[in-house]
Amino acid sequence: MEWIGWISLAIMVGALIYFGISALGTFKSMKPKIDQLKAVQTRIQTEADKIKSETDELKVHQEQLIADVDYAKQAVTLTINETKQIPENAKFFAKTAVDSTKSKKTANT
């Protein structure tokens, strides 16, 4: 009966040794794949950072374009408003010129 205990112990030790060897082999075979995944993760992170910086640059350019468009819109609106006032200014100028001519004629007589 004693020999069954020793055989069981030997089987247990053999199983543990086999498990250790198998785990070490699995770890060695997985290490290159893990390293490859880490390299891919690094490349993806680098690309994500690059895209983020490009996005930030595009936002700055977008803000500049919006400011330029607003400035141009303001300039066009101002020009249009000034152009709309030309007939009124011309009428005022003509009326002032006529009034000044009449007042000179009345002063001369």
Side-chain angles (χ1 to χ4, degrees):
M1 203 63 159
E2 254 181 57
W3 56 277
I4 292 177
W6 288 107
I7 291 175
S8 296
L9 183 61
I11 290 173
M12 255 329 217
V13 169
L16 287 174
I17 291 172
Y18 178 75
F19 176 73
I21 292 171
S22 175
L24 186 63
T26 302
F27 177 74
K28 283 184 177 180
S29 70
M30 292 296 283
K31 187 159 176 34
K33 293 175 185 171
I34 291 172
D35 292 340
Q36 182 182 10
L37 287 174
K38 285 181 182 178
V40 168
Q41 179 186 7
T42 304
R43 283 195 307 267
I44 289 173
Q45 186 63 42
T46 303
E47 289 297 319
D49 292 342
K50 184 178 174 182
I51 289 171
K52 186 179 182 316
S53 68
E54 289 177 2
T55 302
D56 292 342
E57 286 180 28
L58 286 174
K59 283 181 183 178
V60 168
H61 289 296
Q62 180 184 18
E63 291 171 0
Q64 289 174 346
L65 286 173
I66 289 172
D68 289 346
V69 167
D70 288 342
Y71 177 75
K73 187 188 330 180
Q74 203 173 30
V76 168
T77 303
L78 181 63
T79 304
I80 289 172
N81 289 337
E82 291 296 323
T83 306
K84 287 179 181 178
Q85 291 178 1
I86 287 175
E88 293 173 17
N89 291 340
K91 287 177 188 176
F92 176 76
F93 179 71
K95 184 178 180 182
T96 307
V98 168
D99 288 344
S100 105
T101 324
K102 284 182 184 179
S103 64
K104 283 183 184 178
K105 283 184 183 180
T106 17
N108 289 336
T109 52

